Amino acid sequence: DIQMTQSPSSLSASVGDRVTITCRASQGISNYLAWYQQKPGKVPKLLIYAASTLQSGVPSRFSGSGSGTDFTLTISSLQPEDVATYYCQKYNSALLTFGGGTKVEIK
Amino acid sequence: QVQLVQSGAEVKKPGASVKVSCKASGYTFTSYGISWVRQAPGQGLEWMGWISAYNGNTNYAQKLQGRVTMTTDTSTSTAYMELRSLRSDDTAVYYCARAADFPYYYGMDVWGQGTTVTVSS
C-alpha cells in the first residue's frame, strides 16, 4: 500500500507569513493528489485536486504543486481564518489514503 | 443546494453493528459515488471505502474488509454504511462525502455533517 507522509505535523506562523506543507508518497502517484482543510470542530473541505487545481470558491492564497512523490500546499499569506488541520489524500487508485495531517496555528 | 444529511448519533456495545445513513439532495445521485471517512477523537481522517451510486461497485479499506458493507438506495438517494463487530477503537465521527466515480474522481467535494458512533460497554 502507498503511504502518505505529511510534514511538519504542526506549525505556528504569523499572520501574513508564507506557509508550506509537504506531502510525500511512498510510491509515485502522478498528480493524483487532493488537499483538504478541516477547521476545529468542522467538516473537512476540499481545497485542491489534481495536485494544483483550486476547488471553486477557495481563496487564491492557497496553491498546490508537485507530481510523482513530492507535493506541497502553500498558503501565500496566512490569515487567522486559515487555522486548521490540512490533509493530503492520494487517489491514483480506488484505494484512497490520507496523510496524517498538519495542524496550522497562528503565532 | 447540494447536501448530504446523515443519521443521528449512535451508542453501541462492543460486538454490535451500526448502520449510518447519508441522504443526498440537490444533485443527480447516480452521477456520483459516496466515500465514507471516519475520524477517531483527536485523530486524523481515515478513508473507509467508496461505493458507486451508479452501479453499486465498492472498494473498501483493507483493514475494514469483512466488517464493513456500503450500499445505496437509488429510490431515496440514500447511501448506507454498516460496520459490524464493533470495538472500542471504532468510536469516531463517521462522514459520508460525495465523490465522482473513477476514473473521474477528483476529491470529496461535498460532505455530510458527521455521525458520532460511540462504542462502549
Side-chain angles (χ1 to χ4, degrees), chain A residues 4-11 21-24 35-38 73 84-89 97-104, chain B residues 39 42-46:
Chain A
M4 306 301 293
T5 303
Q6 287 184 234
S7 61
S9 56
S10 66
L11 64 89
I21 297 167
T22 296
C23 177
R24 176 163 289 172
W35 289 96
Y36 298 85
Q37 174 194 63
Q38 186 179 31
L73 171 68
T85 300
Y86 295 83
Y87 296 92
C88 62
Q89 181 202 42
T97 305
F98 286 99
T102 296
K103 187 174 184 179
V104 174
Chain B
Q39 187 169 36
Q43 302 301 307
L45 302 176
E46 179 185 12

Side-chain angles (χ1 to χ4, degrees), chain B residues 37-112:
Chain B
V37 175
R38 69 179 180 179
Q39 187 169 36
Q43 302 301 307
L45 302 176
E46 179 185 12
W47 178 75
M48 300 178 67
W50 165 88
I51 182 167
S52 167
Y54 174 71
N55 58 20
N57 286 350
T58 55
N59 277 299
Y60 301 138
Q62 190 170 3
K63 71 174 284 189
L64 295 174
Q65 287 273 3
R67 285 208 301 139
V68 68
T69 301
M70 296 175 188
T71 57
T72 60
D73 181 346
T74 56
S75 69
T76 60
S77 299
T78 303
Y80 299 91
M81 185 283 300
E82 181 180 32
L83 188 61
R84 300 176 293 278
S85 302
L86 289 168
R87 309 186 290 245
S88 58
D89 63 355
D90 292 317
T91 294
V93 176
Y94 289 74
Y95 295 102
C96 62
R98 188 179 78 165
D101 285 7
F102 284 85
Y104 308 106
Y105 180 93
Y106 59 88
M108 303 171 196
D109 64 347
V110 179
W111 291 65

Side-chain angles (χ1 to χ4, degrees), chain A residues 7-88:
Chain A
S7 61
S9 56
S10 66
L11 64 89
S12 182
S14 299
V15 172
D17 281 356
R18 183 181 184 87
V19 168
T20 298
I21 297 167
T22 296
C23 177
R24 176 163 289 172
S26 59
Q27 299 175 39
I29 59 169
S30 185
N31 69 334
Y32 295 111
L33 188 95
W35 289 96
Y36 298 85
Q37 174 194 63
Q38 186 179 31
K39 295 183 179 181
K42 300 297 186 183
V43 173
K45 173 186 174 182
L46 177 64
L47 291 180
I48 287 170
Y49 60 93
S52 61
T53 302
L54 217 59
Q55 173 71 347
S56 175
V58 173
S60 58
R61 63 180 179 275
F62 291 93
S63 64
S65 65
S67 183
T69 60
D70 295 317
F71 302 87
T72 58
L73 171 68
T74 299
I75 308 172
S76 61
S77 177
L78 186 67
Q79 300 301 304
E81 60 266 32
D82 300 334
V83 168
T85 300
Y86 295 83
Y87 296 92
C88 62

